[in-house]
Amino acid sequence: MKIALVGYGKMGKIIDEIATKRGHEVVARLKETPTSENLNSPDVVIEFSLPEVAFDNIKACLENKVPVVCGTTGWLERKSEIEDLAVQNGTAFLYGSNFSLGVNLFFALNEKLADLMKSVDEYSCQLEEIHHIHKLDAPSGTAISLAEGIFKNNPKYDAWKLEETQDKQLGVFAIREDEVPGTHSVFYRSEVDEIEIKHTAFNRNGFALGAVVAAEWIKDKKGNFTMKDVLGL
Ligand SMILES: NC(=O)C1=CN([C@@H]2O[C@H](COP(=O)(O)OP(=O)(O)OC[C@H]3O[C@@H](n4cnc5c(N)ncnc54)[C@H](OP(=O)(O)O)[C@@H]3O)[C@@H](O)[C@H]2O)C=CC1
Ligand SMILES: O=C(O)C1=N[C@H](C(=O)O)C[C@H](O)C1
């Protein structure tokens, strides 16, 4: 399969290595807006760039009728416009706030726990995410997905805010520390104890492998998808 990488920073470079090892040809490595020329006729685009450029990059790829797997976080206010564009152009789009298998299992566990806690009044929920100091967005895309999984299963919460949980607003602590690849925790605290579920990434390889697996999966599809579709979760 021919893959174009849009965004060629920390993630783009690891994806390049993994895609090549899996037998794919990387036909473009871009640090600029994609065009019909510089994309170089790929089967799929994998987009890991910056929050402020992701929307324009994805739009350009979909207008060229190339399916896009996007891992860039921090631009989601305009996601529905992109989803409409994928359908109008008869191509495919997949956004994942986190492509690792471990986090996608953790999302499922978070939803089950949220469902269990909806009828228990003693506990208050709180999220925490820890990332490297270069990260531009807060809270992380993964923390937002965790919050959305809680809202869907537990009507006690319906919005997130940075810092402490207050009434129906679920608190998210966003910590920036050294070169931490990504750690996410969900806490339920009562007056007498605490339940914690936690995912710790040891490096970025799991994110990169998941993005390549998603690209392999989406190649001939049409419509909008998530990692749940790819992993059959
Ligand atoms: N979903 C997931 O599983 C994961 C998501 N992420 C997310 O992916 C994104 C990228 O992360 P990361 O690789 O660590 O970030 P980096 O900052 O290392 O890489 C971003 C790259 O985008 C390039 N760039 C700048 N402008 C453009 C443009 N107009 N078009 C295309 N590329 C451009 C930058 O170029 P230059 O070097 O010249 O500045 C840089 O190489 C972030 O939003 C991060 O949160 C990260 C890990 C996992
Ligand atoms: O910026 C990062 O590095 C990461 N971003 C994603 C996020 O915002 O959740 C995924 C992962 O945690 C690493």
Side-chain angles (χ1 to χ4, degrees), residues 98-114:
N98 195 310
F99 282 95
S100 74
L101 173 61
V103 159
N104 283 279
L105 294 168
F106 185 64
F107 284 155
L109 188 62
N110 169 58
E111 293 197 14
K112 282 205 168 31
L113 185 57

Side-chain angles (χ1 to χ4, degrees), residues 109-125 149-157 168 188 195:
L109 188 62
N110 169 58
E111 293 197 14
K112 282 205 168 31
L113 185 57
D115 183 53
L116 195 66
M117 296 309 270
K118 71 173 185 251
S119 47
V120 181
D121 287 332
E122 285 83 349
Y123 292 83
S124 167
C125 187
I150 293 168
F151 306 154
K152 202 168 72 178
N153 289 282
N154 185 345
K156 278 185 221 161
Y157 303 103
K168 294 193 87 178
Y188 287 87
I195 302 165

